[in-house]
Amino acid sequence: MTIPKLNKGVGYIRRSSHKQLDNHSIEIQKREIEIKAKAEGYEIIHWCIDDAVSAYQKTATDRPGMRELFMYIINNEADAVFFYEESRIDRTFNSFVTQIYNPIKSLKPNCKFFCTTVSGEWDAHNTITEMKLLFAGQESIIKSKRTKDTQDGLLAKKIRPGSRTPFGYKKVTVDEQTGYKTLIPDENAPIVLLIFYLSSWGYSNEKIANLLNECNVPSPSGNGWHENTIDAILHRYIYAGHLTWNVRKSAHSSSRKPKEEITFIENVYEPIVPPHLWHLVNEMRELKKQTKQFDTPFYLRGIAYCKNCKVSLKTKVDTPSQSTKKYMKYVCPNCRQKIDMNAVHEIVFTRFSTQWTQQLYKMRSHAQQLLLRWKKALRREEESSKKQNELLLYNERMIEGNNEKRAFLKHISSAKETMQKKLAQLHSAMEQIDLLLNNDEIDKVFQRFEYLTSFDQFSDIEKRTLSLMFINRVDIHFASKRVDIDFRLSPFVELEKEIKQLTEKSHV
């Protein structure tokens, strides 16, 4: 007896989220698809799987398994698509039909689609099918709202909604009756602290990752450290003890929202990173953003100036092609005068070392007064901004019933939004100052520099960090080879800039 030759088909399977990783949904879908294929005279020659991928947050073509299915059908001999049921292929109402089904039918008209819950061939444009896709989408909207409402309720109680436990923490039950759990530092907390410490000295995410890998330090994934992992850790407020939610701009983007736009609840957990270290890491991040090249042997790049021309010096490696020695120079772009890099560094860092104890004492005594003055200016600006906001609200109420002036409502709404953002920024800046003023955190900032005796003990990156943090400007007199150093009175460089921007009309 001749066994009839089976037609060839492709099976598509989707599992929604990591929460479903332990069930048998993939096996169930696969078994039912194979039964359906055999009944229709097909064999499945290729499987396309989207594992732990949402069909509500991602359209059809945003899912790798669905893209694979499309390309396989178009470029191979398979002429049928099999899937479990409508909610597996789409939860956005129509993305599967418009992005996958219609284009395949246009390119391969004889290709058929089969669903395990539908007798015979599946027709995307059948009324019942359209209703099923609509219900699948509506069900996800209801689930999403229910989830968000639950999360909001937990956040109102300062409870972190269910999600992956951050590296460096572990969950512990604090109330047996309610089952309430919190997070406390675990055996990996010192690794997190080390990452922040290295970052505060100017080391890049890539260098930190390489160092941890060289030392075989365990990573969150178990597959080694990557610069993206380091970056994610350095941006997580939870390590400073704060609860955050709705951090990403969207479900499709890993970009972070500004702090004032996220759900932020202070002092919920035991912090791994002390306030002064958190602040120094953020200072360093902003310094790097504003510095064209951070990892450079020219430690004074960006802060060295020609005294005569009053312009920032350029850097140049002036080495002849046949020479093995590097001749590195600071160069004035205006008068073209040059000076040897090492000669300048020796003068600057020798003076830095000899004057360091005195400068550190001056900076420490000045820092607290400066922070208090900044806080007073921020309070003054906050009061002024609140009055402006009240005036906007008053004008909004007065215009609401006036049709002739309704056009002004849009401008008022925009001004209110801007004002709310400014108030949030003012509050954030005052929080930073309060953290530094409390519990001797200012002293902790300076303690790490107390025993600085020689710059030879530091790496190039650390020397660059110290230069940018503690030197405001270096003026070079090319004619006399004299070097003038203007030391900073505060290590809070970026905080000072932020406060000046927020209080530009106030006297700080």
Side-chain angles (χ1 to χ4, degrees), residues 88 166 177 207 244 284 345 440 469:
R88 298 302 88 200
Q177 285 189 329
K207 283 188 178 291
T244 58
M284 191 51 54
H345 289 176
D440 301 320
M469 188 171 287

Side-chain angles (χ1 to χ4, degrees), residues 179-310:
Y180 170 64
K181 295 181 178 181
T182 189
L183 300 175
I184 62 171
D186 66 6
E187 67 278 3
N188 292 315
I191 300 173
V192 173
L193 191 61
L194 174 63
I195 289 170
F196 274 83
Y197 181 78
L198 291 171
S199 181
S200 73
W201 276 102
Y203 286 95
S204 68
N205 296 340
E206 183 182 9
K207 283 188 178 291
I208 295 172
N210 291 340
L211 177 63
L212 295 176
N213 287 328
E214 288 170 12
C215 298
N216 295 316
V217 175
S219 66
S221 66
N223 297 319
W225 291 91
H226 305 278
E227 58 181 306
N228 289 343
T229 312
I230 302 297
D231 185 67
I233 286 174
L234 292 171
H235 278 87
R236 298 200 71 171
Y237 290 99
I238 194 166
Y239 294 120
H242 310 309
L243 170 58
T244 58
W245 205 252
N246 297 320
V247 174
R248 294 192 303 169
K249 287 186 176 179
S250 73
H252 311 292
S253 170
S254 59
S255 299
R256 304 176 186 91
K257 294 178 183 175
K259 183 183 175 183
E260 59 268 19
E261 293 181 17
I262 67 176
T263 302
F264 189 93
I265 304 172
E266 297 177 59
N267 305 320
V268 176
Y269 305 111
E270 180 183 343
I272 293 175
V273 179
H276 76 276
L277 184 55
W278 179 271
H279 177 78
L280 287 171
V281 168
N282 281 282
E283 282 276 333
M284 191 51 54
R285 184 184 296 125
E286 293 304 316
L287 271 177
K288 286 182 177 181
K289 284 180 185 177
Q290 296 178 24
T291 307
K292 291 182 180 178
Q293 190 175 352
F294 195 86
D295 189 359
T296 171
F298 291 96
Y299 313 138
L300 306 177
R301 180 172 181 158
I303 58 174
Y305 290 80
C306 173
K307 179 65 175 179
N308 186 51
C309 301
K310 295 180 173 53

Side-chain angles (χ1 to χ4, degrees), residues 279-291 374 432 468-469 488 490-501:
H279 177 78
L280 287 171
V281 168
N282 281 282
E283 282 276 333
M284 191 51 54
R285 184 184 296 125
E286 293 304 316
L287 271 177
K288 286 182 177 181
K289 284 180 185 177
Q290 296 178 24
T291 307
W374 287 346
Q432 291 181 63
L468 292 175
M469 188 171 287
R488 292 187 183 279
S490 162
F492 312 125
V493 184
E494 295 309 314
L495 180 59
E496 183 174 6
K497 287 180 182 176
E498 181 185 356
I499 290 169
K500 281 183 178 178
Q501 289 173 355

